[in-house]
């Protein structure tokens, strides 16, 4: 093809030879990056106060879509989720979900009462414990938001960094300092990391959310494998003495592209933890390649798409922090992934126990929160903790008073002795409040649990049953024994809730991503499918094999046949109309 050379003679008119100016279209990622660079929303509480005076309609789009999120605040959906919206996001109402940051799940009774009061006064009596040990309020108006934030600050709580492209709530073992089997009480380090990164303007503008877990327990109950940073306590021998440190994992995450964190060959001493955490956060912050697409902006994509490995990451980290880390030590990886802390159990402190209550689907009322606070004051030392399994613990209870605490919690609808279905069920926010969800999950979780309890009263195998209302996996279905993902399908001329099944997910010693098995059914027939599957397990299991082992030796075709009651063909898991929005997970 011959090259066209513009005419540069004096007679030529510049306008005839220059292409018209075309302003490039700004992508969603570019727009959000521009907004974050132009303003740190944490410095502008005055604008939130102004919006409270002038009303919801005065709030500009950049606050509704971007700036509020770093405050742990985002708009609530209209109750039907993504249906009726556009660009993969449902319609917003003039109400907010407000997420309260609870580092390591540690709360005082007064903080619990503050949350209960806010839920009662501003949240229509609704509060949810999330899978990151946060507590989330709903129905908050812009007029009440400044008072909600100020009340939380007065109680030593905050929403800062509970959402947005920042370091999210730091999770850890809720039994830190209490468990007689723990390697180290890591909660002081969790709180130190929270002070270092939470609300720190240096880390306001990360490519996407950044999740950190640190635990000193032997059971890894905070799921380090699915965090951007997962620190797990281990030991080594030096000069004849035992020394405690941490193994470091990086790049874990679920959503639409699940990835288990990569373990680095390094031993992190307690005094190195903060420098190492900052170093990983700085690598993430500096990664321009992760800022090109909102759907591929998590740290895990360095491993999934950009050729990074554990070795290259460690080399970059050591260069970043300015010193070499010792080689890693062999660690004891836990086999039991089901530790939910429900029940009455001894602490390492003589004469003291903790009482763990099952909070089905994480939904809790102000009355239940106030009761927990009162019991903690009356029979313990005023401390309450929550878990990533969405449960609630009262700790430091005198052993002789444990039955009184357990009976009071159970009577209030927070059972201390619960079925395997109630204990193992997790659910995301769902279409009740979330603009991204396809299905309603909270009421469905209660109904499903009750159905399974009635149908399979003798079933005792530990079971993780996770429900997520869309592909984002806020309900963590990828690491469940049975994970079900919300869909919509046509039935009788209309669209109804449905679920797609994945099985065999696990963390710890048997870490694996759940397998999509090609089976989907309407929500009202999910109990039938699970009943058939678990009955098949009961009758076909070999010896003492557990669910993970049972699923592992059966093909997708065989598992579909158990779920459906007959051999059927596979259905596709997901036919996405476009990129799946992100950012609401707890």
């Amino acid at each position: 093809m011959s090259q066209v050379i513009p005419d540069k003679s004096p007679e030529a008119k510049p306008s005839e030879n220059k292409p018209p100016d075309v302003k490039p279209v700004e992508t969603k990622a570019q727009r959000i990056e521009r907004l974050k660079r132009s303003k740190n929303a944490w410095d502008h509480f005055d604008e939130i106060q102004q919006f409270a005076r002038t009303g919801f309609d005065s709030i500009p789009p950049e606050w509704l879509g971007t700036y509020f999120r770093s405050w742990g605040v985002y708009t609530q959906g209209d109750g039907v989720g993504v249906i009726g919206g556009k660009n993969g996001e449902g319609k917003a109402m003039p109400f907010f979900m407000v997420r309260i940051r609870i580092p390591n799940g540690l709360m005082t009774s007064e903080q619990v009462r503050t949350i209960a009061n806010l839920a009662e006064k501003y949240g229509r009596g609704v509060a949810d414990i999330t899978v990151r040990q946060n507590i989330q309020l709903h129905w908050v108006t812009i007029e009440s938001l400044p008072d909600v934030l100020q009340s939380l600050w007065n109680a030593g709580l905050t929403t800062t960094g509970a959402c947005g492209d920042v370091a999210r709530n730091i999770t850890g073992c809720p039994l830190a300092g209490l468990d007689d089997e723990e390697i180290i009480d890591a909660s002081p380090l969790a709180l130190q990391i929270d002070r270092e990164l939470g609300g720190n303007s240096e880390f306001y503008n990360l490519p996407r959310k950044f999740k950190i877990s640190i635990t000193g327990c032997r059971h890894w109950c905070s799921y380090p494998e699915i965090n951007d940073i997962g620190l797990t306590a281990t030991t080594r021998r030096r000069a004849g003495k035992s020394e405690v440190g941490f193994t470091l994992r990086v790049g874990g995450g679920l959503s639409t592209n699940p990835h288990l964190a990569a373990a680095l060959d390094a031993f992190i001493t307690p005094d190195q933890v903060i420098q190492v955490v900052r170093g990983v956060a700085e690598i993430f912050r500096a990664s321009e390649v992760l800022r090109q697409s909102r759907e591929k902006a998590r740290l895990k994509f360095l491993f999934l798409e950009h050729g990074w490995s554990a070795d290259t990451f460690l080399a970059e980290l050591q260069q970043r922090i300015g010193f070499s880390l010792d080689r890693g030590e062999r660690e004891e990886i836990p086999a039991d992934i089901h530790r939910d802390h429900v029940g009455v159990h001894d602490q390492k402190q003589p004469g003291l126990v903790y009482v763990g209550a099952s909070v089905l689907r994480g939904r809790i009322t102000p009355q239940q929160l106030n009761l927990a606070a009162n019991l903690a004051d009356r029979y313990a030392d005023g401390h309450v903790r929550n878990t990533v399994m969405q449960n609630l613990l009262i700790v430091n209870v005198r052993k002789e008073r444990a039955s009184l605490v357990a009976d009071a919690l159970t009577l209030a609808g927070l059972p201390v002795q619960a079925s395997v279905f109630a204990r193992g069920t997790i659910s995301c926010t769902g279409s009740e409040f979330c603009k991204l969800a396809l299905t309603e999950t909270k009421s469905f979780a209660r109904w499903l649990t009750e159905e399974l309890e009635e149908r399979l009263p003798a079933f005792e195998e530990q079971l993780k049953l996770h429900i997520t209302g869309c592909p984002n996996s806020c309900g963590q279905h990828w690491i469940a024994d049975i994970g079900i993902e919300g869909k919509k399908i046509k039935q009788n001329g209309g669209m109804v809730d449905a679920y797609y099944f994945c099985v065999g997910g696990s963390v710890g010693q048997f870490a694996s991503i759940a397998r999509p098995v090609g089976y989907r059914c309407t929500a009202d027939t999910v109990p039938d499918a699970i009943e058939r599957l678990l009955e098949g397990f009961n009758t076909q299991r070999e010896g003492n094999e557990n669910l993970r082992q049972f699923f592992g030796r059966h093909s997708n075709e065989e598992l579909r046949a158990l779920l459906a009651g007959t051999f059927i063909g596979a259905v596709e898991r997901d036919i996405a109309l476009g990129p799946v929005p992100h950012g609401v997970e707890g």
Side-chain angles (χ1 to χ4, degrees), residues 9 232 305:
S9 64
T232 52
E305 296 201 357

Side-chain angles (χ1 to χ4, degrees), residues 119-314:
E120 181 71 35
K121 186 175 181 181
Y122 298 121
R124 299 190 186 181
V126 175
D128 289 328
I129 303 173
T130 79
V131 293
R132 289 202 67 78
Q133 295 176 296
N134 299 295
I135 294 183
Q136 192 163 276
L137 305 178
H138 303 280
W139 297 111
V140 176
T141 64
I142 187 59
E143 290 79 10
S144 62
L145 183 57
D147 185 49
V148 169
L149 297 176
Q150 190 64 60
S151 297
L152 291 171
W153 296 335
N154 292 342
L157 295 167
T158 185
T159 66
T160 303
C163 194
D165 297 351
V166 295
R168 299 289 185 89
N169 191 42
I170 314 301
T171 61
C173 177
L175 296 184
L178 311 177
D179 180 8
D180 61 357
E181 294 184 347
E182 72 181 355
I183 298 171
I184 187 176
D185 176 2
S187 61
L189 283 169
L191 297 177
Q192 192 175 349
I193 294 170
D194 183 71
R195 289 190 294 270
E196 186 73 21
L197 298 186
N200 184 345
S201 59
E202 289 183 63
F203 300 100
Y204 171 76
N205 180 11
L206 299 177
R208 283 284 278 113
K209 61 190 170 193
F210 191 61
K211 296 182 176 181
I212 303 168
S213 169
I214 180 169
T215 183
C217 80
R218 297 181 184 275
H219 303 272
W220 298 8
C221 58
S222 56
Y223 302 153
E225 302 95 334
I226 60 171
N227 280 262
D228 295 285
I229 294 178
L231 288 157
T232 52
T234 188
T235 58
R236 68 179 179 183
R237 300 291 294 180
R238 284 292 184 272
K241 295 181 181 179
S242 179
E243 181 181 352
V244 173
F246 294 89
T247 296
L248 172 65
R249 285 173 171 76
V250 297
L254 297 179
S255 194
T256 52
N257 298 92
H259 181 255
L260 296 175
L264 305 191
D265 184 13
F267 183 90
I268 316 298
T269 61
D271 63 332
Q272 294 172 334
V273 164
I274 300 303
Q275 290 168 287
V276 166
V277 168
R278 280 188 62 103
V280 177
E282 288 169 0
I283 290 172
F284 185 45
R285 183 183 62 193
S287 182
E288 288 300 323
V289 71
L290 295 180
R291 296 181 185 270
Q292 307 308 309
S293 166
R294 296 292 292 172
E295 284 71 40
K296 297 182 179 181
R298 294 290 302 277
L299 190 66
K300 64 184 178 183
F301 283 99
L302 291 180
F303 296 89
L304 288 172
E305 296 201 357
H306 300 292
W308 287 53
S309 67
D311 289 340
T312 56
F313 198 103
L314 178 59

